[in-house]
Amino acid sequence: MGAALVIHANDERGWLEVDRGEQFQLRITETEGDELARLKADLQRDQLRKASVIAERPDLLLYKLEFPADPSLVFVHFLRQVAVEGRQFTVESVPDGRFNEADAWRMAAAISPLPPS
């Protein structure tokens, strides 16, 4: 990708962002509950954008957001839940990022928790 790795922590909101250029921007948050169900409900309620699911697994949702008023505005995002040593984390593409499907798959595939030491 060529871009430098940049890590931002937001203690107030409780997340960590990992960026490497415009096409690789992750947000990691420790969460409780079913974030995938919450996201699907939010997408159904969204009155500004049309959402469609590209891929769904028990731990992953890859989805496309389209703006009906401007068909050129299409963005693809993902959310993945990961369990590590009894804790649950949500890893997602940065919500205001502009990603295509290849970008979203690349980010989702990059998530691999290390085994306990």
Side-chain angles (χ1 to χ4, degrees), residues 3 5 15 21 30 35 38 52-53 55 57 69 76 94 97 101 109 112:
L5 182 68
W15 48 254
E30 187 168 5
E35 289 298 307
R38 181 204 51 81
S52 54
V53 173
R57 307 188 312 224
V76 179
V94 172
E101 188 172 339
S112 179

Side-chain angles (χ1 to χ4, degrees), residues 14-16 28-32 35 84 86-90:
W15 48 254
L16 181 76
I28 305 165
T29 312
E30 187 168 5
T31 54
E32 295 179 5
E35 289 298 307
V84 179
R87 296 165 66 188
Q88 179 177 292
F89 296 89
T90 296

Side-chain angles (χ1 to χ4, degrees), residues 46-113:
D46 193 329
Q47 296 181 359
L48 178 63
R49 302 169 296 186
K50 177 186 172 221
S52 54
V53 173
I54 296 171
E56 184 173 1
R57 307 188 312 224
D59 69 331
L60 171 76
L61 185 68
L62 191 89
Y63 58 97
K64 176 171 50 172
L65 296 172
E66 300 175 83
F67 290 82
D70 186 349
S72 68
L73 292 176
V74 177
F75 307 108
V76 179
H77 289 276
F78 82 95
L79 182 141
R80 183 167 170 203
Q81 289 189 285
V82 179
V84 179
E85 296 185 17
R87 296 165 66 188
Q88 179 177 292
F89 296 89
T90 296
V91 183
E92 61 188 320
S93 49
V94 172
D96 59 349
R98 296 181 171 206
F99 310 110
N100 61 35
E101 188 172 339
D103 297 334
W105 277 118
R106 185 180 316 106
M107 289 185 285
I111 301 162
S112 179

